[in-house]
Amino acid sequence: MGLANMKSVLIPAMKGGYAVPAFNVCNLEYIKIVIQTAQRLHSPVIIALHPVEIEYAGLEEISNMVRIAAQNADIPVVLHLDHGDTYERAARCIVNGFTSVMYDGSHIPFNENVRTTAQVVKLAHSVNVSVEAELGLVGGAEGSKYAHNHGLDATQLTSPSEVVEFVDRTDIDSLAVAIGSAHGLYTGEPHIDIERLKEIRRCTDIPLVLHGGSGLSDTIIRECIENGISKINIATELKIAYHQGMIHSVEKDSSEYDPRITFQYAMEEAAKLIESKINLFGSRDRV
Ligand SMILES: [Zn+2]
């Protein structure tokens, strides 16, 4: 089918009341198992690459692997830059065939966030690439081990009153909202501000994105989807599943040294996790 842009999978999700999963990947095995599992379950899927994952795998190498895997699949696959930190990085990803980019200006003042996001949108839309932006702060650092959302106060969460102006001035396709979730593993029970999400939903008609989806309860996830979340990012839980599979491999036969065998265990565990998320998010049988 080839790569799809993000808008083309998120608008049907928003209308259909389900969410499309975005899985962070960093190597061939991750790409294969995410696309294979999504294909088996007839779900659209987003392959997300954070700058640290791109640096690990190589931009050209990994974007070509995803592009070819998508061509051979019968489902829409989005190649997405997760937490793009600069205009230049977004531009490099677009040149390398990404069909969606996130520009994350959540840590800079509102007007600067608007300015750079709008520049990324102008470039991206000229070549049919979708743009996600972030307003407010999602807790924890992407790639860090533990999520820290305890320190977040209401002033750091997405302000519904700013959403209208932000979307209007930037023309983004989707918005990552800060409603109390955090990246990494939660060390305590996270407080997700559903009332805030409902208010944001009333302020805009573009798809909303939930970061820090790993470790949230199924009930919270369902509530987020019911109240307007159309894309949910999963990074940490996929890594844990993969790691669990590697442990099984060693436990079963520690003398096995062929990566084709050891990685198979990792992919099997990853597939179970991917399937559970696709079922939970309601994106199964949507293609
Ligand atoms: Zn994130």
Side-chain angles (χ1 to χ4, degrees):
M1 192 178 261
L3 292 170
N5 80 7
M6 191 136 89
K7 202 174 172 178
S8 71
V9 301
L10 293 193
I11 297 290
M14 192 170 70
K15 289 180 179 161
Y18 61 94
V20 181
F23 295 107
N24 282 76
V25 305
C26 67
N27 68 11
L28 175 69
E29 285 75 22
Y30 270 78
I31 294 167
K32 282 175 78 165
I33 201 62
V34 168
I35 295 180
Q36 270 173 23
T37 310
Q39 161 124 355
R40 179 165 57 79
L41 302 172
H42 307 283
S43 169
V45 75
I46 298 159
I47 299 278
L49 288 157
H50 185 275
V52 297
E53 288 153 348
I54 293 174
E55 272 156 35
Y56 172 80
L59 177 58
E60 273 185 84
E61 290 87 339
I62 200 142
S63 48
N64 278 305
M65 281 196 282
V66 177
R67 183 176 51 78
I68 292 164
Q71 272 168 12
N72 295 332
D74 297 324
I75 50 164
V77 176
V78 178
L79 175 54
H80 174 71
L81 168 64
D82 186 29
H83 292 281
D85 48 353
T86 60
Y87 173 87
E88 289 73 19
R89 191 186 300 273
R92 279 199 300 278
C93 286
I94 291 170
V95 166
N96 278 278
F98 280 53
T99 49
S100 175
V101 292
M102 175 187 189
Y103 172 70
D104 178 1
S106 59
H107 52 287
I108 56 176
F110 182 82
N111 280 323
E112 277 178 54
N113 189 1
V114 167
R115 199 164 38 244
T116 310
T117 302
Q119 282 172 350
V120 172
V121 169
K122 200 172 170 199
L123 171 71
H125 283 186
S126 72
V127 285
N128 194 30
V129 169
S130 311
V131 178
E132 174 184 328
E134 182 169 321
L135 197 54
L137 208 60
V138 174
E142 185 86 22
S144 67
K145 205 162 182 186
Y146 295 103
H148 303 286
N149 63 336
H150 316 299
L152 288 180
D153 59 52
T155 62
Q156 292 169 301
L157 300 180
T158 305
S159 156
S161 62
E162 285 183 344
V163 167
V164 179
E165 184 186 348
F166 188 79
V167 172
D168 192 47
R169 287 174 64 190
T170 58
D171 197 25
I172 50 167
D173 304 289
S174 60
L175 179 70
V177 293
I179 52 171
S181 62
H183 299 110
L185 281 177
Y186 291 100
T187 49
E189 189 63 33
H191 173 68
I192 304 300
D193 192 341
I194 296 290
E195 285 311 311
R196 185 179 295 270
L197 174 61
K198 286 181 185 171
E199 213 177 321
I200 296 167
R201 180 69 292 168
R202 283 194 287 271
C203 292
T204 181
D205 59 359
I206 64 169
L208 302 176
V209 177
L210 182 68
H211 283 242
S214 286
L216 292 180
S217 73
D218 290 2
T219 311
I220 290 282
I221 293 277
R222 281 194 204 98
E223 224 177 326
C224 286
I225 296 170
E226 275 166 26
N227 289 290
I229 291 291
S230 307
K231 169 186 175 241
I232 302 175
N233 293 9
I234 300 291
T236 305
E237 278 184 288
L238 186 60
K239 288 177 192 160
I240 291 170
Y242 201 88
H243 179 238
Q244 207 56 46
M246 296 300 281
I247 291 173
H248 288 169
S249 162
V250 174
E251 281 172 352
K252 187 139 197 283
D253 182 2
S254 61
S255 67
E256 179 56 67
Y257 56 81
D258 188 335
R260 289 176 308 127
I261 313 261
T262 55
F263 287 169
Q264 199 56 43
Y265 284 89
M267 289 164 78
E268 279 165 18
E269 283 303 314
K272 287 183 209 161
L273 187 274
I274 295 161
E275 181 165 356
S276 74
K277 296 300 174 190
I278 286 174
N279 286 335
L280 174 63
F281 298 175
S283 64
R284 188 174 186 155
D285 291 325
R286 302 283 182 173
V287 182

